[in-house]
Amino acid sequence: MARLVLLCAASGLLLAAVAAIPPPEEAARMARYVLHSCDWGALATLSAQEGLRGRPFANIFSLSDGPPGPCGGSGVPYLYLTDMEISVQDLEVNSNASLTVSLAQTPYCRKHRYDPQNPLCAHIIFVGSIVKVNDSEAGLAKKALFSRHPEMESWPKDHNWFFAKFNITNIWVLDYFGGLKIVTPEEYYSVKP
């Protein structure tokens, strides 16, 4: 019952946060806002699998940049991974990846009747690499992920789960008509969402 109350409260905070979308001229803030509003994203790797080697391969991953709510998160996309996962096997060969998150997964686009492909249904494309977090950052990653994805705590221990982060090198924002906006990681991390 307590878990249900916590999930309902978190959902309420997320809905409240989605109501205050940044204006399109604040692309860095929009990127931080969209990431913090999303619980999952599409991670694209270059496949290392037989028959697909070198081809793009996209997969869905749960993520979090911090606990839900108006505090805004850290901006760092954290993931909980296992070497048993096919995309993680790709990342072991080539850690470069792209990550797309979209307000289409929130009530915002449905409320405004925006198709997920409509630029007003903002989405962000991050390019970079996946790296395991060090011991000093593991607590932060755990809090960020388990606060949004509580079932992760009960996932099988024999799968050797580990915390990782998306190390951002490039950011593209599509949140309005007229094309993509480029945001540097420095701009992204310096704004308050």
Side-chain angles (χ1 to χ4, degrees), residues 24-28 30-31 99-101 116-127 170-184 187:
E25 59 272 9
E26 295 183 35
M30 180 66 79
L99 173 68
T100 301
V101 291
Q117 200 169 328
N118 182 331
L120 299 176
C121 184
H123 72 271
I124 315 303
I125 303 164
F126 298 99
V127 173
N170 302 83
I171 305 164
W172 287 276
V173 176
L174 185 60
D175 65 345
Y176 202 72
F177 302 101
L180 289 165
K181 299 169 195 164
I182 296 173
V183 173
T184 67
E187 292 167 329

Side-chain angles (χ1 to χ4, degrees), residues 55-75:
R55 293 185 177 184
F57 187 84
N59 207 343
I60 299 298
F61 283 90
S62 299
L63 56 84
S64 176
D65 79 331
C71 297
S74 66

